[in-house]
Amino acid sequence: MGQPVREYLLTLCVTAAVTYLLTGPVRKFAIAVGAMPEIRARDVHREPTPRLGGIAMFGGLCAGLLVADHLDGLNGVFQSNEPRALLSGAALIWLIGVLDDKFEIDALIKLGGQMIAAGVMVMQGLTILWLPIPGIGSVSLTSWQGTLLTVALVVITINAVNFVDGLDGLAAGMVCLASAAFFMYGYRIWYGYGIEAAAPATLFAAVLMGMCLGFLPHNMHPARIFMGDSGSMLIGLVLAAGAISITGQVDPDAMKLNFGGTRDATHAMLPVFIPLLMPLSIIAIPMADLVLAIVRRTWNGQSPFAADRGHLHHRLLEIGHSHSRAVLIMYFWSALIAFGAVAYSVNSASMWIMLVIVALSAVGLVLLLLPRFAPRTPQWAERFVPPRYRHARGEPETVHSLASEDDDEVRGERTPVAAGVSGVNGATAIGPRSRFPDRRKTGASR
């Protein structure tokens, strides 16, 4: 079992390295072509920030799949059409995202593109063939049923990730945690129980982790570049492809020899039913945010695609949490739900798992009630973090302002209080900070 782990780690590291190395040139390219949103009336950020980070993430995806194809333990995955289907759908959704990052295309056009990308994957075999129903077993689906269910899952997952991409490092970090939990589950089914149909989903999860990890150093607060729709829709599609592969391709009947029967096998697959029906265990937080946003906007007589500032991360900032703390809280809840589902799949009868989840939930609620506590890098650890995360003595205090990336996204930027001081995270690429008015003097809200 050690050899497959090393090959997965190699694939992950190559994907992360390529993504990381490409992000810097992509940032310069985005500035050169003007792929930066203008300051709008509803925005509170102080300077535009380049987008198109999805270009680097797509390069990492291609590099990861290329390396995996040349590894002895993973090249068997490419005997099926699923990697090719993923790459085809990812290329299409990435192209639509790039056009949106530059030209801001209509939301309905993007929705149609998402459905077409899902249809391309279905045509190449990445589709749901049956549904494992708890207590009953596997239920075969017709061609139309499988197609509609696959397209719905892809569209829901893409928009859930896109909606939550509102703070520096938030979407990339949450998807990274979800893909890590998904990798653990897929690896357990493949190598733990010998179900080779779980191999593509396990590889997709490893590559997705690499894409997010390679982009995060550039996207953590204060962000130097945003992933844009070209990145958020891309990682949402890859996450959905993994859920479709492991849920609709792995037959529970093939697992009953390992689990003792069809009913036990179906019960063991329970944590994967949830992301299929309503991606709850893997992307519960983005999914909840998506549902609340649609209900909120419809209730107010607005389009479900209209922009507002009522997302969960906005609420955390409004009650007093700092930018970094709001992101960490969202990380905490995402990790708790995703890894809790994986732990439940291993031993659903253990009360210790439920007790640990309840205890961690209590800790999370306590953290929500302490918004004024700002996490800081310990002095002994400052040498191990980039200079912008260090808190040197004698430097002026900093303030946090929010930056909006897309219609549904608000970003954070840390700038010196002293007027005229240029920043280190993109301000000098377009001019000094003094070009932009000080919103504290105009009474703009945080």
Side-chain angles (χ1 to χ4, degrees):
M1 198 174 297
Q3 180 69 21
V5 171
R6 289 196 295 269
E7 294 186 349
Y8 277 123
L9 288 177
L10 177 60
T11 303
L12 187 154
C13 291
V14 169
T15 305
V18 171
T19 304
Y20 177 83
L21 294 175
L22 287 179
T23 303
V26 166
R27 178 177 177 273
K28 296 180 180 179
F29 171 75
I31 295 174
V33 300
M36 297 185 292
E38 296 292 336
I39 304 295
R40 296 163 292 191
R42 58 185 172 83
D43 294 337
V44 293
H45 60 284
R46 302 193 58 163
E47 67 266 350
T49 302
R51 298 190 283 190
L52 290 178
I55 295 179
M57 304 180 82
F58 183 74
L61 171 65
C62 296
L65 294 178
L66 181 62
V67 169
D69 190 22
H70 289 79
L71 297 177
D72 294 336
L74 300 180
N75 58 8
V77 176
F78 294 85
Q79 296 177 2
S80 66
N81 289 330
E82 292 189 30
R84 188 181 302 109
L86 169 66
L87 195 57
S88 301
L92 180 58
I93 203 69
W94 169 76
L95 180 60
I96 296 172
V98 169
L99 294 176
D100 181 68
D101 289 342
K102 180 62 177 71
F103 302 106
E104 296 187 2
I105 61 179
D106 186 74
L108 291 179
I109 297 179
K110 287 194 296 183
L111 180 62
Q114 295 167 8
M115 298 175 68
I116 293 174
V120 168
M121 293 195 300
V122 170
M123 291 175 60
Q124 299 189 57
L126 187 57
T127 183
I128 300 172
L129 302 177
W130 48 70
L131 280 178
I133 306 300
I136 299 177
S138 59
V139 177
S140 299
L141 300 178
T142 65
S143 177
W144 279 106
Q145 290 174 338
T147 299
L148 292 176
L149 192 56
T150 301
V151 171
L153 179 62
V154 171
V155 172
I156 289 174
T157 307
I158 288 176
N159 286 282
V161 175
N162 190 33
F163 272 46
V164 83
D165 183 24
L167 296 177
D168 296 345
L170 181 58
M174 291 178 64
V175 172
C176 184
L177 291 170
S179 58
F182 208 87
F183 173 82
M184 293 173 60
Y185 185 83
Y187 188 88
R188 174 174 173 261
I189 293 179
W190 184 14
Y191 286 100
Y193 298 100
I195 307 298
E196 295 184 2
T202 309
L203 176 61
F204 297 165
V207 172
L208 183 57
M209 276 193 288
M211 294 166 59
C212 296
L213 289 175
F215 185 73
L216 268 174
H218 299 273
N219 190 235
M220 291 299 292
H221 180 68
R224 294 172 56 84
I225 184 173
F226 299 152
M227 70 172 62
D229 277 8
S230 59
S232 62
M233 293 198 300
L234 175 63
I235 61 178
L237 181 136
V238 178
L239 184 61
I244 292 168
S245 177
I246 202 169
T247 308
Q249 303 285 333
V250 177
D251 187 359
D253 292 337
M255 302 173 63
K256 59 186 178 182
L257 296 177
N258 299 296
F259 289 103
T262 302
R263 186 166 186 170
D264 293 337
T266 306
H267 184 267
M269 292 279 290
L270 181 59
V272 187
F273 305 157
I274 304 177
L276 174 65
L277 300 176
M278 191 191 208
L280 184 58
S281 66
I282 301 299
I283 53 170
I285 301 299
M287 192 62 213
D289 196 23
L290 172 62
V291 173
L292 292 175
I294 293 175
V295 172
R296 179 178 63 252
R297 295 166 185 175
T298 305
W299 183 265
N300 294 331
Q302 299 175 336
S303 167
F305 302 101
D308 62 17
R309 295 186 55 190
H311 292 292
L312 297 178
H313 46 270
H314 296 160
R315 302 295 179 89
L316 290 175
L317 294 170
E318 289 175 358
I319 65 177
H321 290 287
S322 66
H323 185 289
S324 299
R325 185 178 177 81
V327 172
L328 292 176
I329 289 175
M330 298 286 279
Y331 283 178
F332 172 85
W333 286 108
S334 297
L336 178 63
I337 295 173
F339 288 98
V342 174
Y344 180 81
S345 70
V346 174
N347 188 358
S348 59
S350 177
M351 284 298 298
W352 286 104
I353 295 176
M354 298 303 300
L355 292 176
V356 169
I357 292 176
V358 171
L360 291 176
S361 300
V363 172
L365 292 175
V366 171
L367 293 177
L368 288 173
L369 298 176
L370 299 175
R372 297 300 177 183
F373 174 75
R376 299 174 65 92
T377 304
Q379 186 174 358
W380 60 267
E382 287 187 350
R383 67 180 67 181
F384 304 108
V385 299
R388 56 179 173 161
Y389 298 120
R390 301 172 186 170
H391 304 276
R393 292 183 295 274
E395 291 186 356
E397 293 294 328
T398 60
V399 296
H400 290 77
S401 63
L402 301 179
S404 178
E405 176 185 11
D406 288 323
D407 289 346
D408 300 289
E409 301 170 349
V410 175
R411 300 284 178 186
E413 192 108 24
R414 183 168 58 187
T415 60
V417 172
V421 179
S422 61
V424 297
N425 57 330
T428 56
I430 58 175
R433 294 180 186 273
S434 57
R435 287 182 54 193
F436 305 97
D438 190 343
R439 295 183 180 271
R440 292 173 297 159
K441 297 180 182 180
T442 61
S445 63
R446 296 184 61 192

